[in-house]
Amino acid sequence: MEFFNVWIRNGLVFVRPCVDDVRFKVYENDVWVASGLDDDGVLVTLQERKPNTILTIEYLFENKLGREHFPLISYYAIRERNYQAGDILVASDNLKSELTGYMGHSALVINENELIESPGLGPAIIRSSIKQFLDKHPVHAQFRPVQSEVGEKVAQYAIEYYQKYKLNVEKGIHKPTFSFDLSQELDDPWDKIYCSKLVWICYHFGANYTFENDHLWFSPEDLYHQLLENQDFELVYQHQNVKFLIDT
C-alpha cells in the first residue's frame, strides 16, 4: 500500500498523504524538515538538490509506525554516459581549490569529443577536448537538451562564434576579453566573456533559448540550478559531490 505521493519541482518538494488519519514527518538526509497531519500536504524547500539526496517520510497510521524512502535519483534521468552537440558541463570544483563550491566552471559540448569554453585569462575562448575538462573538473554534472535539434543549433553557433573570435585575434583584435566585470551586458558577445556567459550566449543566439538570470552575472551556479529541474533538459551524469555553497 502506498501512503504518500511526492512531487519535486524547482527545488520544492510537495508531500501529500494518500490516506486519511495519518501523522507524518519528512526528513532530508536524516534531518527533519517538516511535519504533517491527515490529508494535508506539506511543501518543503530542498537543502541539497542532488540525485543522491534521500527523503524519508516517517508516519503513524492506525497506531503503527512506518517509513517510506524517496531517493531523488529516481526523479532525474540518468543516461548512459556519452556526449552530444549542445550538452552542457557544469562543475562546482575549481582549479583553485579555495574557489570550489563558490565559483565553479562550465563548458559547451560541440561533438562527441570536443567542447568550447572560456577558461579564464587568454585566450578568452578555446576549442578543446572534453577529456581535459573531465581531468580538470571531475566534480561536475552533464545536461542535455531534450530536443537534439536545439543542441545542434547551439553547437553550430558556438563553432562560428569561436571561429570569429580566432579571426579577431589574428587581426590583433582581442575581443571579447575574459572578465567577470558586473557592468557587462549578458547579451553582448563581443565585449567581455566568461564560462557560463558563453553557454548563455550560444543558447540565446544559436537556438533562441534564453536562461533566466537572477543576479548581476550569470554564474555556473545559476546555470546548474536552472538545468537541474528544467523540463527542456535531462541530467545525463552528476558526480555525487557536486555542490554550490552560495547563490550567486
Side-chain angles (χ1 to χ4, degrees):
M1 179 178 180
E2 189 176 70
F3 283 87
F4 297 92
N5 286 322
V6 176
W7 295 271
I8 298 176
R9 184 69 178 168
N10 296 328
L12 297 175
V13 178
F14 184 64
V15 178
R16 185 173 183 178
C18 301
V19 296
D20 296 329
D21 301 320
V22 60
R23 296 175 181 270
F24 63 96
K25 295 180 180 179
V26 182
Y27 297 84
E28 179 183 343
N29 294 331
D30 297 324
V31 177
W32 174 86
V33 290
S35 297
L37 176 65
D38 296 333
D39 61 350
D40 292 332
V42 296
L43 191 64
V44 177
T45 300
L46 287 172
Q47 301 302 309
E48 295 284 343
R49 297 169 62 180
K50 299 164 60 176
N52 61 340
T53 289
I54 296 178
L55 294 177
T56 300
I57 303 175
E58 184 180 81
Y59 61 90
L60 182 65
F61 180 70
E62 295 182 347
N63 294 320
K64 294 182 180 179
L65 186 65
R67 289 183 180 87
E68 289 189 7
H69 301 285
F70 296 85
L72 262 62
I73 194 169
S74 63
Y75 292 85
Y76 297 98
I78 305 296
R79 298 183 50 162
E80 180 182 353
R81 195 82 195 268
N82 54 34
Y83 302 94
Q84 295 181 13
D87 284 3
I88 300 172
L89 303 178
V90 188
S92 63
D93 61 0
N94 198 277
L95 291 179
K96 294 182 178 180
S97 59
E98 64 270 20
L99 296 179
T100 291
Y102 295 96
M103 184 65 69
H105 185 51
S106 57
L108 182 69
V109 173
I110 56 172
N111 57 46
E112 64 272 19
N113 297 309
E114 295 179 296
L115 53 75
I116 288 177
E117 62 180 329
S118 180
L121 301 178
I125 304 172
I126 65 171
R127 179 172 179 168
S128 189
S129 70
I130 294 172
K131 183 180 182 304
Q132 60 80 29
F133 181 100
L134 304 185
D135 290 342
K136 294 175 183 176
H137 301 281
V139 184
H140 68 273
Q142 177 187 351
F143 298 92
R144 175 168 298 157
V146 172
Q147 298 182 18
S148 59
E149 58 269 27
V150 169
E152 294 289 345
K153 290 178 181 178
V154 171
Q156 185 58 41
Y157 179 89
I159 293 169
E160 293 173 0
Y161 181 45
Y162 167 71
Q163 290 172 339
K164 290 177 183 177
Y165 168 74
K166 278 188 64 179
L167 287 175
N168 279 350
V169 172
E170 290 171 4
K171 296 175 183 177
I173 305 171
H174 293 275
K175 288 290 185 177
T177 57
F178 182 88
S179 174
F180 289 123
D181 183 356
L182 297 181
S183 67
Q184 64 183 286
E185 297 294 333
L186 193 55
D187 60 356
D188 182 352
W190 295 112
D191 182 22
K192 298 178 176 66
I193 195 69
Y194 52 84
C195 62
S196 41
K197 178 180 176 179
L198 184 146
V199 175
W200 189 97
I201 283 172
C202 292
Y203 267 85
H204 179 72
F205 291 110
N208 197 31
Y209 190 98
T210 304
F211 292 105
E212 294 181 4
N213 185 31
D214 59 355
H215 295 298
L216 292 175
W217 74 299
F218 183 70
S219 67
E221 179 271 331
D222 290 323
L223 184 59
Y224 171 75
H225 282 123
Q226 285 198 42
L227 290 168
L228 191 60
E229 293 166 22
N230 188 329
Q231 63 183 0
D232 297 326
F233 291 84
E234 56 186 339
L235 182 65
V236 177
Y237 167 83
Q238 176 164 280
H239 189 282
Q240 64 179 4
N241 293 329
V242 170
K243 182 178 182 180
F244 287 93
L245 300 176
I246 58 174
D247 179 5
T248 53

